Amino acid sequence: MNKVDHIGIAVKNMEESLEYYIHTLGLEVMAIEEVESQGVKVAFIDAHNVKIELLEPMSEASPIAKFIEKRGEGVHHIAFGVSDIRTRMQELKEKGVNLLQDEPKPGAGGAEVAFMHPKSSYGVLYELCEKTKGE
Ligand code: ZN
């Protein structure tokens, strides 16, 4: 794994939570976009050595909506940057790690992403994240 790329945080209301990150914590927003494949609106915040990814569900069917319903707002996943996601997924599978998908899927910022099942990772939902264009 390369360094931690970002920490994903589930929020009910993007606008309200952005107020907190920008005005209370004094951080800056890098980008806001909608990621259809995951049914979420995403904001990346620059926390200098790592990014914070706010995830707001766009519908009840979004996995993030289900997460908030079950566990409330808060830390959802931790993402490791990787350089060859398909090879990395294969290696993890061979080591007995359960992945939530067989093929990487499109994530925010043009990245390819895959998730490791929390049951394989001592309770943490880890994301593998490969940037296909720039950082
Ligand atoms: Zn993420």
Side-chain angles (χ1 to χ4, degrees):
M1 305 291 167
N2 302 341
K3 63 179 184 149
V4 171
D5 180 79
H6 64 265
I7 298 168
I9 297 178
V11 298
K12 288 181 194 164
N13 185 312
M14 176 76 72
E15 248 171 79
E16 271 180 36
S17 56
L18 276 178
E19 275 288 307
Y20 170 75
Y21 282 93
I22 296 167
H23 294 113
T24 309
L25 301 186
L27 298 172
E28 277 178 28
V29 178
M30 303 166 73
I32 298 179
E33 67 176 290
E34 293 183 355
V35 181
E36 296 295 338
S37 70
Q38 287 162 74
V40 287
K41 191 167 166 189
V42 171
F44 279 104
I45 292 164
D46 184 5
H48 310 296
N49 62 330
V50 72
K51 285 169 273 184
I52 292 171
E53 178 188 45
L54 300 180
L55 302 149
E56 180 197 66
M58 295 195 295
S59 77
E60 291 294 301
S62 161
I64 297 299
K66 290 179 185 136
F67 175 88
I68 292 173
E69 197 183 296
K70 256 203 254 171
R71 303 176 53 178
E73 294 179 296
V75 174
H76 176 259
H77 66 268
I78 294 175
F80 285 112
V82 295
S83 33
D84 184 349
I85 194 166
R86 283 181 171 78
T87 305
R88 193 58 67 152
M89 287 169 76
Q90 191 54 41
E91 285 168 4
L92 287 166
K93 263 188 238 173
E94 283 162 12
K95 290 177 180 169
V97 174
N98 255 323
L99 296 164
L100 296 189
Q101 53 271 130
D102 290 326
E103 286 291 317
K105 56 183 184 176
E112 287 196 293
V113 306
F115 289 90
M116 290 150 72
H117 199 291
K119 281 188 180 141
S120 296
S121 308
Y122 296 86
V124 181
L125 178 60
Y126 281 113
E127 175 186 329
L128 306 174
C129 173
E130 180 176 11
K131 297 279 154 50
T132 41
K133 50 181 183 195
E135 180 112 0

